[in-house]
Structures are given as C-alpha cells and as structure tokens.
Amino acid sequence: MNVLFYIPVLSSFLSIAFGGNHWALLVAGSNGYYNYRHQADICHAYHVIRSNGIPDERIVVMMYDDIANSPDNPVPNNIINHPDGPNVYAGVLKDYTKEEVTPEVFLKVLTGDAAGVKKLLGREGKVINSGPDDKIFVNFADHGAPGILAFPNDVVSHHFHEERKVVDGRVEAKSSSRMVFYIEACESGSMFDRILESNINVFVTTAANPDESSYACYYDDKRETYLGDVYSVMWMEDSDKEDLSAETLQSQFKIVKKETNTSHVMEYGDLSMGKLKVGDFQGNLTSNNPLRSFALKFHPTLDAVPSEDVQMEVLKRKLSKSNGDEQIRHKAALDALMKRKDSTEQFFKNIVGLVTKFHLYDIFLRAPLVFTDFKCYRESLRLVREMCPSLDLVQNDYALRKLRVLANMCETDIPHEKIWAAIGKVSYETSFCTSAF
C-alpha cells in the first residue's frame, strides 16, 4: 500500500502556538540490505513528525538510500516498518544520501554550519538553522559500541565527546532552547552515561544501557529481513496513537521502557525536561497522523534478536526454507559469517593475551565500563582500523561488540603503548589482516 502521508501544514502554527520553531534531524547511519530496519525506522520517524506539523524546510533526513530499490527488495520503491504495514518510503526527504552520510556532515548539520557542509560536499545543504526559542529533535538509528555511533564508513565516537561540544556550544550561544535525542544503537547509553551534564537543556533516551545490545524485530518472510528495531518501533507506535500535545517526554519514556523488555531503555541529561510535551519536539498536530488507525499484528519483542545476530538469523531463516543450489549458497554464506565471528573474537583475545599474564579476555569483555581516558581508546580504534582493515570494524557487528575489551584495557594501569603495540603485532600476525595489504 502506497501512502503519501502528505498533509498541508501551516508552518507558522507551531511557532505561534508553542513558542519558537521545531526542527528535526533524522539519521539512519547504516547501509546494506540486512540493515533494512534502520532506514525503515527513520522513514517512519519522518512521517511521525511530518504528519504532526513540522514542515519539510525544518526537517533534515540523512540515509544511505540503498534499501528501497535494492535488488534484494522484492517490492521496489517500498519500505515498511511493520508487518504488512504502509509504505513509509513514500514522500520521505533525501537531504543527504550515499557517501554524504558521514559523521562530519552530521555534526555540521546539527551545528547549523551551512558553510561547513558546502566545504565538505561542494554543494549547498540543509542544516538545523535554529534560533534561541527553537526546539530540536534528533533521532539516530544504527549500530553502536562503547562510545561509538556508527556511520556507513566511519564513526562518531567517544562518549558524546564531540557531540557534547556541539550541544554545549549551541546552549552557550543560545541558538536553541531545548534539544531531545532518541538514539537506537547497541550500548548507546555509553555515549552519555556519566558524561552528559544535567544542566544544558538536553534530554536523551537510548535503546540500551552502556553494556548491552539493542534488538531488531518484525522479521518479514517476503522481504527476508527485519523491518524495525524494538526501541524505535515502540516510541513511534506510541507517537502514532497518542495526543502528543498532552503526553510528556517522561510519560513516553516510561511506556517505551516498560514495553522494550529486550534491553534497558535509558534516559540522560536534563531530566527535568521530562515534563515537557512530546509534541514540543515531534510536533503537535497528532490528529493528522495517518498511522493512528494502523492495527498492529503482534508485539515487536516476540521475534526480537540482538542487533549483532541479525545477519546470522536471516541466513538461518533463508537456509531453512531453501533447497538445491540456493541452499548451498546460503550455507556457504552462513559458514563464512560464523568464521568471521570466530576470527573477530580471536583477534581481540590475542591482543589481551599479549598485554596480560592471565586469561582476562572475558573480564575485559563483560566488565562495566566507565570512560575516563578517551585518548587511549581513540588511538586503539584508529590502529585497529588502519592495521586490520579487513576486520571491517564499522560494518562488522561482532567487532563492534568486542571493542569493550579495548576500552576496558585502556581504563586499567596497562601502559597505553603496550596496548597499541599488541594491536600492531596481532594485526601483523593475523592472516585475515595481512591479506588486505
């Protein structure tokens, strides 16, 4: 079903009625068909805020845009976020696509740096050009790791380290009065926990705490992929049916936290902002939302899987219903994925083995993390990406989930140079690393 989700909007209504303008930045930070769900989440989010009155000129959408017309998509020009749901791809803005979806562009857009965008891309681009009474809603959906939000070819890293500068600068310059972030990613709480101050007019909710995966949901047999992520689906399904001019941010947080039993939904920053209305950030024209009457078939947690296991689960499902040559291909792909998983784990085990006398890998992997040393972790990430490019850190979900090992080692009294030397030695001696040179 194609639903255009277009409604005429009096763009001045929200500004006059509620004070200041509303802005939204929506980012799907992944590419590849198996990551279908991230772009589906963001397309759905666009229709939530668009139908609630935020005009296109104050919405910025960043997504790779390789899913709707992928050869793997059996329904061209179509993306859905619910089983048998409406086409949420129809009418969606495409402000930044393909190689333009980068951390640098994201930060320039968020800070309203139009000149910076033009310098990066060689063209004009829409930015969040907010004023002192405006409100900004940021929704990000992708993979994550300790202190990291992933983009197709890079990461925004270090525990809100760079983004915090952005937010602090905005608040100090009084260029925006309030900002709300909804973050869908594994270990997304690690970007904010004990880092984001409580007095800078920023309210954040995350799909997961600093130590766990977020979860994909709604597997679709026809499309052979997961359509959404549990946390994202839960907040949007709530926004689809609630009166956003009456519901508070704290009320929505509590609903999403209760319903998302696959991970621990968290909140950070200025929690006093929880008393503000959801509509202050997602728009107030709830009665115009065309998804309000959409009937859900089942709860998203019923088929939920950890984000890093999505590829494996998809291949297992394909394998179970195939035969002949097709089954052989799926079996080979699954075997290759499992080998990559084992090789990835061994890579990090070998690093730990070089810097400790005891078998501490499991301890470093499972111990809670409190960041204090960004420099060591940042350099460790750079070395892994540079010296073992075939590990494909940004696209390798299993590798992202093992970065806690490096982060925790950096927080011990192990000399940083010893950690970095171990990364170099293991990279040099590991066959799948050296084969890329």
Side-chain angles (χ1 to χ4, degrees):
M1 176 175 60
N2 283 334
V3 181
L4 293 180
F5 293 102
Y6 181 81
I7 60 170
V9 175
L10 297 175
S11 63
S12 63
F13 173 79
L14 295 174
S15 175
I16 295 172
F18 298 98
N21 286 320
H22 293 61
W23 296 82
L25 173 55
L26 311 178
V27 184
S30 68
N31 61 344
Y33 189 76
Y34 85 96
N35 287 319
Y36 181 108
R37 63 196 185 278
H38 298 139
Q39 292 182 48
D41 292 339
I42 290 305
C43 288
H44 186 175
Y46 166 79
H47 292 299
V48 169
I49 62 175
R50 184 69 179 85
S51 64
N52 284 318
I54 302 181
D56 281 349
E57 59 263 30
R58 295 201 296 272
I59 301 171
V60 181
V61 178
M62 301 180 67
M63 65 177 184
Y64 206 84
D65 196 25
D66 61 337
I67 302 303
N69 291 294
S70 166
D72 295 316
N73 190 348
V75 189
N77 208 40
N78 180 287
I79 295 176
I80 63 175
N81 197 220
H82 304 292
D84 299 326
N87 179 16
V88 294
Y89 184 68
V92 170
L93 298 177
K94 302 175 185 65
D95 296 298
Y96 300 93
T97 62
K98 300 297 188 290
E99 288 75 17
E100 295 179 344
V101 183
T102 69
E104 293 80 12
V105 173
F106 166 68
L107 293 173
K108 297 295 184 187
V109 170
L110 184 58
T111 55
D113 186 359
V117 169
K118 186 173 183 179
K119 184 176 180 179
L120 283 172
L121 303 181
R123 70 169 181 88
E124 303 285 347
K126 194 191 303 182
V127 299
I128 304 298
N129 190 25
S130 58
D133 297 317
D134 293 352
K135 299 176 179 66
I136 303 170
F137 177 68
V138 181
N139 181 210
F140 184 96
D142 190 17
H143 300 288
I148 284 178
L149 296 178
F151 279 76
N153 298 301
D154 206 348
V155 297
V156 172
S157 63
H158 307 302
H159 233 15
F160 207 59
H161 183 63
E162 291 170 277
E163 294 95 330
R164 189 176 66 170
K165 294 177 184 176
V166 171
V167 173
D168 288 348
R170 274 193 166 279
V171 174
E172 289 170 8
K174 302 187 184 300
S175 61
S176 66
S177 57
R178 298 286 190 274
M179 298 180 74
V180 167
F181 289 77
Y182 280 22
I183 309 294
E184 173 71 64
C186 290
E187 299 172 301
S188 43
S190 67
M191 297 290 290
F192 308 93
D193 187 47
R194 309 187 195 195
I195 295 294
L196 182 62
E197 292 90 342
S198 61
N199 61 351
I200 60 171
N201 296 331
V202 178
F203 177 81
V204 178
T205 76
T206 63
N209 68 25
D211 307 313
E212 64 188 354
S213 297
S214 62
Y215 279 67
C217 64
Y218 288 155
Y219 184 82
D220 186 83
D221 286 321
K222 182 176 183 178
R223 291 165 176 81
E224 296 185 314
T225 191
Y226 288 88
L227 305 178
D229 294 282
V230 176
Y231 160 85
S232 292
V233 164
M234 293 315 311
W235 79 255
M236 286 186 285
E237 289 180 358
D238 181 70
S239 291
D240 286 336
K241 66 184 178 182
E242 293 289 343
D243 178 357
L244 302 189
S245 64
E247 185 180 32
T248 66
L249 290 169
Q250 187 61 213
S251 295
Q252 183 166 84
F253 166 75
K254 288 181 177 179
I255 290 170
V256 176
K257 183 179 178 67
K258 180 181 178 180
E259 294 295 325
T260 307
N261 57 23
T262 49
S263 61
H264 296 83
V265 175
M266 305 298 289
E267 59 180 346
Y268 301 98
D270 185 355
L271 302 188
S272 70
M273 286 177 58
K275 66 181 180 292
L276 299 176
K277 300 298 189 275
V278 176
D280 288 340
F281 299 91
Q282 296 178 26
N284 291 277
L285 302 181
T286 305
S287 60
N288 294 294
N289 191 339
L291 278 172
R292 174 177 286 274
S293 61
F294 181 73
L296 302 177
K297 298 182 68 174
F298 59 89
H299 198 277
T301 60
L302 291 180
D303 68 349
V305 298
S307 181
E308 69 267 22
D309 290 334
V310 165
Q311 278 185 295
M312 179 178 66
E313 291 298 325
V314 168
L315 285 170
K316 285 181 176 179
R317 287 175 180 263
K318 288 181 177 180
L319 185 64
S320 68
K321 68 175 188 178
S322 63
N323 52 58
D325 290 345
E326 184 180 42
Q327 189 175 64
I328 292 172
R329 287 195 298 271
H330 293 325
K331 178 64 165 58
L334 181 59
D335 289 345
L337 180 64
M338 298 309 293
K339 182 178 179 181
R340 182 194 200 194
K341 178 181 180 181
D342 292 341
S343 297
T344 297
E345 182 165 45
Q346 193 59 52
F347 175 83
F348 288 98
K349 281 185 175 180
N350 290 344
I351 293 172
V352 174
L354 283 179
V355 298
T356 64
K357 295 180 180 180
F358 306 101
H359 299 290
L360 299 180
Y361 172 78
D362 286 338
I363 294 176
F364 286 133
L365 181 64
R366 305 186 192 289
L369 173 65
V370 178
F371 272 111
T372 62
D373 190 343
F374 295 115
K375 179 182 177 181
C376 174
Y377 184 51
R378 175 182 298 180
E379 180 64 9
S380 298
L381 293 177
R382 186 190 70 79
L383 288 171
V384 169
R385 295 189 66 191
E386 179 180 301
M387 304 191 75
C388 190
S390 56
L391 188 66
D392 199 12
L393 185 62
V394 175
Q395 296 286 347
N396 184 345
D397 297 337
Y398 294 119
L400 289 172
R401 296 291 284 133
K402 305 304 181 188
L403 291 179
R404 174 173 300 273
V405 171
L406 299 181
N408 273 323
M409 282 199 297
C410 283
E411 296 299 327
T412 68
D413 58 0
I414 299 171
H416 297 171
E417 292 76 11
K418 190 173 182 180
I419 298 172
W420 300 334
I423 292 172
K425 182 175 175 59
V426 172
S427 297
Y428 181 75
E429 295 178 348
T430 301
S431 59
F432 75 78
C433 291
T434 56
S435 62
F437 290 97

